[in-house]
Amino acid sequence: MRLRSVALAGTGVLGVLYGRLLRRRILTWGATDAEAGTRLPGDELLEDADAVATRAITIEAPASAVWPWLAQMGPSPRGGAYTYDWIENLLGLNMHSSDRVLPEFQHPQAGDTIGLGKSQMRTEIVEPGRVLSTRSDDGNWVWTFVLSEHEGRTRLISRNRFRLPTRATQLAMLPMEPGSLVMERKMLHGIKERSERLASGRPGHSRWGGGRLDLSATADEARDTLPGDELIPDADITSTRAITIRRAPDAVWPWIAQLGQTRGGFYSYDWLENLAGCQIHNAERIVPEWQQPQVGDDVQLAPDVPLTVALLDAGRALVLQGAMRIGGASPPLTFTWAFSLREEPDGATRLLVRERYGYGRWWARFVATPTGLISSVMSRKMLFGIRDRAERQRAVSVQS
């Protein structure tokens, strides 16, 4: 009883500290006091809001270069939300952030509806180049973007207004507020980068060290059908990550061919994997005896976690398939892990890695969600690991 009282008291103290020290900063990130306090278009759509978040960013581009990215926002086939797609897609939102302007979505109209998971957002106010405001079908959420241009630069303000009709929704909103900042900050920076790139006439893909900085696949890549998709045709979750490697596919393939716990490893954080008893050692060289994978081969992901080579197109695609099994029952979760290599016009390789998860039980989502979070961290390291090894091998070959 005493322990429970201490825990409740501690929770209360944390709640007070959050409310006094952090909450306003979280809800007004990037916005001036004047912007946070002023009345904006769209406020009238939900006058008595229980929670309001006003966030903003300055974009070194005119409003005409910013508006197209707002106009096309929404789930596929629209332009996405320019934030962490993989997080949104764990929630089933089908978001694929586009790096190009999509002409077919450049003319939003009042009355348009856009699906957002199980909800619908209705476009309420459209003033091209200035205001875009939407409202949820239950009327409890209004999301408004306001653009203000001055001397060739644009101030983009994003305001969310919420009605929280029950005590449960009020409590649920508290942990969501910091999470919403993480997502919206990424979104505002995503719009800023795309707008400034559009205004300057630069190409559409920002690159760093040969790969996309966030390792997101392009919108087209995310929509493409890849080898292995047919193995789980109605996947509940799909994530697609990609990197560009400055080597031809035949120089990248050997590192893919020898993937496996008892083989070449996964070129990720092997020390972290080994803390879990995986006994993985990432290879720094191409091992000839691991270069001939065959359909039906077992490729260990970890001890007692076998994957099967389901599809193989040597030099172009490797698809691994697995399942989580409990006793003799049908698996509650099945998944595929597919690697596809595409040769670029300049002779480089675009490496696409796709994970697809299918739920066999309603509770499987609670397994897939943390798995996806861990996978995003490990896959990022893996892709850079493959890239670095393939490009380093070229340097060694030239020197020798």
Side-chain angles (χ1 to χ4, degrees), residues 306-379:
L307 300 175
T308 301
V309 177
L311 292 173
L312 179 69
D313 184 357
R316 298 180 60 186
L318 173 70
V319 181
L320 306 174
Q321 186 170 25
M324 183 185 77
R325 297 186 180 278
I326 299 178
S330 60
L333 182 70
T334 58
F335 58 93
T336 55
W337 197 14
F339 297 80
S340 297
L341 290 79
R342 294 178 172 178
E343 187 166 6
E344 301 274 79
D346 61 358
T349 299
R350 188 70 170 159
L351 171 59
L352 306 177
V353 179
R354 175 167 291 175
E355 298 171 29
R356 288 169 67 84
Y357 297 87
Y359 301 155
R361 298 285 188 276
W362 65 268
W363 49 264
R365 68 183 66 248
F366 299 111
V367 176
T369 298
T371 298
L373 293 173
I374 295 169
S375 172
S376 69
V377 175
M378 302 301 284
S379 291

Side-chain angles (χ1 to χ4, degrees), residues 227-248:
D229 285 359
E230 69 278 11
L231 299 174
I232 306 180
D234 299 316
D236 294 283
I237 297 177
T238 299
S239 68
T240 307
R241 303 179 181 103
I243 195 168
T244 298
I245 301 174
R246 293 187 296 267
R247 291 299 311 276

Side-chain angles (χ1 to χ4, degrees), residues 18-19 21-28 50-51 174 177:
Y18 170 70
L21 302 179
L22 295 176
R23 189 167 187 252
R24 177 169 175 77
R25 295 182 184 181
I26 286 173
L27 294 179
T28 61
D50 298 302
L174 291 177
E177 289 173 353

Side-chain angles (χ1 to χ4, degrees), residues 213-287:
L213 182 58
D214 61 0
L215 294 184
S216 296
T218 66
D220 287 340
E221 288 170 339
R223 295 188 189 107
D224 282 351
T225 298
L226 296 182
D229 285 359
E230 69 278 11
L231 299 174
I232 306 180
D234 299 316
D236 294 283
I237 297 177
T238 299
S239 68
T240 307
R241 303 179 181 103
I243 195 168
T244 298
I245 301 174
R246 293 187 296 267
R247 291 299 311 276
D250 61 0
V252 179
W253 174 256
W255 302 100
I256 306 295
Q258 64 186 36
L259 284 166
Q261 178 231 343
T262 58
R263 294 156 57 85
F266 297 101
Y267 319 116
S268 189
Y269 299 103
D270 55 352
W271 64 268
L272 186 58
E273 293 165 322
N274 292 336
L275 284 177
C278 292
Q279 301 176 10
I280 290 174
H281 303 286
N282 295 325
E284 297 297 335
R285 64 184 181 89
I286 296 171
V287 182

Side-chain angles (χ1 to χ4, degrees), residues 131-260:
V131 180
L132 181 65
S133 186
T134 59
R135 177 164 51 181
S136 62
D137 51 6
D138 62 7
N140 290 334
W141 175 26
V142 172
W143 193 6
T144 301
F145 294 94
V146 176
L147 301 174
S148 176
E149 182 181 342
H150 181 67
E151 295 183 350
R153 63 169 50 176
T154 301
R155 190 70 173 158
L156 170 59
I157 302 173
S158 168
R159 174 167 290 176
N160 285 274
R161 297 173 66 85
F162 299 96
R163 179 187 293 120
L164 307 172
T166 66
R167 183 64 174 167
T169 56
Q170 293 167 14
L171 292 173
M173 179 58 70
L174 291 177
M176 287 179 61
E177 289 173 353
S180 74
L181 173 58
V182 172
M183 299 298 287
E184 194 161 4
R185 182 181 183 277
K186 173 70 170 176
M187 178 199 72
L188 291 173
H189 277 289
I191 294 172
K192 172 183 172 69
E193 292 165 5
R194 288 166 171 81
S195 302
E196 292 176 355
R197 193 165 59 230
L198 180 64
S200 69
R202 284 180 284 143
H205 302 309
S206 59
R207 300 200 182 265
W208 174 63
R212 290 172 56 82
L213 182 58
D214 61 0
L215 294 184
S216 296
T218 66
D220 287 340
E221 288 170 339
R223 295 188 189 107
D224 282 351
T225 298
L226 296 182
D229 285 359
E230 69 278 11
L231 299 174
I232 306 180
D234 299 316
D236 294 283
I237 297 177
T238 299
S239 68
T240 307
R241 303 179 181 103
I243 195 168
T244 298
I245 301 174
R246 293 187 296 267
R247 291 299 311 276
D250 61 0
V252 179
W253 174 256
W255 302 100
I256 306 295
Q258 64 186 36
L259 284 166

Side-chain angles (χ1 to χ4, degrees), residues 74-82 85 88-89 93-99 102 217-223 238-240 354:
S76 182
R78 301 180 67 87
Y82 320 115
D85 289 357
E88 294 184 310
N89 293 335
L93 298 184
N94 194 23
M95 290 287 188
H96 302 289
S97 297
S98 177
D99 286 322
L102 306 175
T218 66
D220 287 340
E221 288 170 339
R223 295 188 189 107
T238 299
S239 68
T240 307
R354 175 167 291 175

